[in-house]
């Protein structure tokens, strides 16, 4: 038995010394120490050894196993060290070389302006509200005092899915949905994407974005509207910005107005940017029409309100002096990385 164990040990040590890869070492471990290995076979034959000799034979087997395992571990450690040193020599890093720069994206100019407008109105106590882009005709037109025979409801102007469902042409339906809940007073801002059947050119697109706001409370007057929008214009375009209101018509407000801001390039003296007029049209606004309040379940004799709406792209074009709206949608990195 002793001679057989010495033979197994000698052969195992020889194979370990001749091994040049970790896989070869593992093969030696399996062939000698595995479940079907030579040393395991010796242990299984212990039943044939005389009872009085078993302790001595068992000790010899364990000593042989320990020597082989130690030799395997030593060879493995040395081999891993050599492999690591070879890899370090082959993978030398020149720290003087310039690093690779990752292309890191950032916010789109439209999103920058949207966040800025939201920040201004949130600071005034407004709540940002979103609504569905696929809207019912009632919320998009009827509840906003736009009757069935109004030109804006022509299928050539509006994307109808069927007679009652359409792609919203404005974010005003959000205002109706909020008013219907009856949680007064209301101070809300509703940004979002809208759709109209416009041809694509430098200032038009069939899909664009609007930001609309509304206040409904007791004793709200046109003076509140003017003061709010004047403060908004100063925050967005600069402290020296002036505003003026021109009479206009919107079905859902009465009285209605267009608001202009003094040109923030020339200060109102006239330049190419404002086409020599000194003023730039920025948004539409007015007092919420009593019929709109009434259709949403609000008593116009007790509550009044004002509303305003602006095109997000128009604000972006003005703020960043972009002369073609299409640039905002073309995803040209040369253009977008300027912001």
């Amino acid at each position: 038995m002793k001679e057989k164990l010495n033979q197994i040990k000698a052969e195992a040590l020889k194979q370990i010394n001749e091994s040049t890869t970790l896989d070869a070492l593992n093969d030696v471990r399996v062939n000698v120490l595995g479940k079907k290995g030579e040393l395991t076979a010796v242990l299984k034959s212990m039943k044939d050894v005389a009872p009085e000799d078993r302790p001595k034979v068992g000790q010899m087997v364990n000593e042989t196993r320990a020597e082989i395992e130690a030799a395997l571990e030593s060879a493995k450690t040395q081999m891993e060290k050599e492999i690591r040193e070879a890899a370090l020599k082959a993978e030398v890093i020149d720290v003087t070389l310039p690093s690779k720069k990752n292309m890191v994206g950032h916010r789109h100019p439209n999103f920058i302006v949207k966040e800025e407008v939201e920040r201004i109105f949130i600071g005034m106590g407004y709540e940002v509200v979103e609504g569905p882009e696929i809207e019912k005709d009632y919320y998009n037109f009827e509840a906003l005092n736009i009757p069935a025979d109004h030109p804006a409801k022509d299928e050539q102007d509006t994307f109808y899915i069927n007679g009652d469902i359409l792609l919203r042409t404005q974010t005003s339906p959000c205002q109706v949905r909020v008013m219907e809940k009856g949680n007064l007073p209301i101070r809300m801002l509703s940004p979002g994407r809208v759709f109209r059947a416009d041809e694509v050119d430098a200032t038009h697109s069939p899909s664009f974005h609007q930001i609309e706001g509304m206040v409904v409370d007791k004793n709200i007057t046109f003076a509140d509207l003017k003061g709010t929008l004047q403060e908004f214009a100063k925050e967005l375009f600069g402290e020296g910005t002036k505003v003026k209101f021109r009479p206009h018509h919107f079905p859902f407000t009465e009285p209605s107005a267009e608001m202009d801001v003094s040109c923030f390039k020339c200060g109102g003296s006239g330049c190419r940017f404002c086409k020599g007029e000194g003023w730039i049209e920025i948004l539409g606004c007015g007092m919420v029409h009593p019929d709109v309040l009434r259709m949403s379940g609000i008593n116009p004799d007790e509550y009044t309100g004002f509303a305003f709406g602006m095109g997000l792209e128009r604000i972006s074009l003005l703020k960043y002096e972009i002369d073609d709206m299409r640039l905002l949608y073309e995803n040209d990195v040369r253009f977008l990385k300027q912001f």
Side-chain angles (χ1 to χ4, degrees), residues 82-273:
E82 293 173 356
I83 292 172
R84 185 165 57 252
E85 289 176 351
L88 288 174
K89 289 180 181 179
E91 300 173 3
V92 175
I93 300 175
D94 187 349
V95 295
T96 65
L97 290 174
S99 62
K100 294 181 180 180
K101 294 184 178 180
N102 292 327
M103 292 291 291
V104 180
H106 57 81
R107 296 176 300 166
H108 190 276
N110 264 359
F111 194 81
I112 296 173
V113 173
K114 173 179 172 289
E115 280 195 333
E116 187 171 0
V117 173
E118 288 179 351
R119 176 188 59 80
I120 293 171
F121 281 101
I122 288 174
M124 295 182 187
Y126 284 61
E127 176 188 7
V128 178
V129 178
E130 295 183 351
E133 294 178 0
I134 301 176
E135 188 57 274
K136 290 184 177 182
D137 178 273
Y138 172 78
Y139 287 105
N140 197 80
F141 291 122
E142 298 292 338
L144 293 170
N145 204 35
I146 300 175
D149 57 352
H150 195 281
K153 300 185 67 173
D154 194 300
E155 290 187 4
Q156 295 179 359
D157 293 328
T158 306
F159 293 109
Y160 272 91
I161 296 173
N162 57 41
D164 187 49
I165 305 296
L166 50 81
L167 299 182
R168 67 180 181 183
T169 62
Q170 53 203 351
T171 55
S172 300
C174 295
Q175 300 173 3
V176 178
R177 291 179 177 274
V178 171
M179 285 191 290
E180 283 185 343
K181 294 179 181 179
N183 298 326
L184 300 171
I186 297 171
R187 286 171 177 79
M188 59 165 287
L189 193 73
S190 55
R193 184 168 56 171
V194 298
F195 308 86
R196 296 183 187 178
D198 289 333
E199 296 291 335
V200 177
D201 59 29
T203 57
H204 295 86
S205 171
S207 175
F208 57 101
H209 299 79
Q210 277 190 344
I211 300 180
E212 298 194 17
M214 183 181 67
V215 171
V216 177
D217 202 347
K218 294 180 179 180
N219 303 317
I220 296 296
T221 68
F222 204 92
D224 298 311
L225 168 63
K226 292 178 68 175
T228 298
L229 294 182
Q230 184 173 23
E231 188 64 26
F232 159 69
K234 288 182 178 180
E235 286 285 332
L236 188 64
F237 298 113
E239 187 61 33
T241 304
K242 298 178 181 179
V243 300
K244 73 174 181 179
F245 294 82
R246 295 177 286 103
H248 198 72
H249 168 71
F250 298 111
F252 33 84
T253 54
E254 180 60 38
S256 305
E258 293 273 11
M259 189 184 88
D260 300 338
V261 298
S262 56
C263 180
F264 39 86
K265 294 296 292 181
C266 65
S269 60
C271 65
R272 180 193 64 83
F273 192 67

